[in-house]
Amino acid sequence: MDILKKIVVDKRKEVNFKKELIPIQAFEMMPFFDRKTVSLSKKLKKSNTGIIAEFKRKSPSKSMINETANIEDVALGYEEAGASGMSVLTDEKYFGGTMDDLLLARENCNLPLLRKEFIIDEYQIIEAKAIGADVILLIAAILTRGEIKQFSEFAKSLNLDVLLEVHNEEELQKSIMPSLDMLGVNNRNLKTFEVSLETSKSLSQSIPNDFVKVSESGISNIEAIKELKLYGYQGFLIGENFMKTDNPGASAKDFISLL
């Protein structure tokens, strides 16, 4: 079983368990649920750099990346660095994240926040809104076209932006619909974990210009961003490159200053 399938099996169990514990009404009463969201896609369109800086403690491919980083400091650091947005992993088992991480990021910065999660149920979208997210991630590889439509339209009804992630042409073609704001190309092959920017380049022509193009994974230098901009990309999701350092915020600042 590849890692994505394994994660989804565990995620279904987790979501079903949570649904029994916490009713939707509890999330709707949380302070951030009625907060006015900030559009990441609009911010990326106006940005010269387009950096979406990620907070990620570990990953299945690299195991522990940074177990000492403080989410409050990192969120503040990313904002001061001039990032266009921040991505926060909320999956605990595989990425060491929690919903509290996103809540704390929300309390400590004004950046548009992406909830990086394996969404397989509307319940998680309500959770995202309640903990202060502005954007949700939908992964084409784990969803049907019908689910992508259902979840993206539901997210839009809550004023959340939607970033749809694809890995290949087939996933892209089944996913294109008006309820998406951004189309993200993940340069990592989830079966082999190999990373290649050629994935973003080859898929760029197939992404309609109505959507903000985002390149994800394997971006570790300025040259890569300059190159990808030539293919129409306006957003660049960078996590490991900043998180593997002692001070992710300072690393992001140094990186962004060179763009």
Side-chain angles (χ1 to χ4, degrees), residues 83-243:
S84 299
M86 179 175 179
S87 164
V88 182
L89 266 298
T90 60
D91 174 79
E92 190 162 3
K93 184 169 182 179
Y94 295 92
F95 291 88
T98 66
M99 292 213 304
D100 280 348
D101 287 337
L102 203 142
L103 264 171
L104 287 167
R106 176 77 291 144
E107 287 169 2
N108 286 276
C109 78
N110 295 306
L111 291 171
L113 295 182
L114 163 68
R115 182 185 187 189
K116 191 94 174 281
E117 183 54 272
F118 300 85
I119 289 179
I120 40 106
D121 195 296
E122 283 187 2
Y123 183 87
Q124 295 162 286
I125 302 172
I126 292 168
E127 274 182 339
K129 184 76 164 74
I131 58 177
D134 300 283
V135 195
I136 61 154
L137 174 75
L138 296 179
I139 302 171
I142 63 174
L143 301 169
T144 64
R145 181 174 173 83
E147 286 171 329
I148 293 167
K149 186 174 189 295
Q150 176 194 339
F151 296 158
S152 57
E153 288 177 355
F154 183 62
K156 298 311 292 176
S157 76
L158 295 174
N159 293 313
L160 293 166
D161 264 13
V162 180
L163 168 63
L164 189 284
E165 176 181 296
V166 300
H167 300 85
N168 54 47
E169 185 79 36
E170 186 189 349
E171 288 175 10
L172 177 62
Q173 293 310 325
K174 81 167 182 186
S175 307
I176 294 171
M177 57 187 74
S179 45
L180 308 174
D181 301 285
M182 296 163 279
L183 274 161
V185 178
N186 193 331
N187 299 306
R188 177 172 275 113
N189 181 318
L190 292 176
K191 290 187 171 67
T192 63
F193 289 124
E194 286 172 7
V195 174
S196 170
L197 296 184
E198 293 306 315
T199 311
S200 281
K201 293 175 189 175
S202 64
L203 289 180
S204 65
Q205 295 305 310
S206 303
I207 301 173
N209 291 329
D210 320 9
F211 306 104
V212 174
K213 296 179 191 177
V214 178
S215 186
E216 309 169 23
S217 297
I219 301 166
S220 57
N221 56 54
I222 303 301
E223 288 65 37
I225 288 179
K226 288 179 177 170
E227 213 175 319
L228 288 166
K229 279 186 174 180
L230 300 175
Y231 289 83
Y233 286 90
Q234 292 172 291
F236 310 93
L237 197 143
I238 302 177
E240 224 160 90
N241 203 46
F242 302 147
M243 287 301 296

Side-chain angles (χ1 to χ4, degrees), residues 45 140 153 257:
K45 282 177 187 172
E153 288 177 355
S257 70

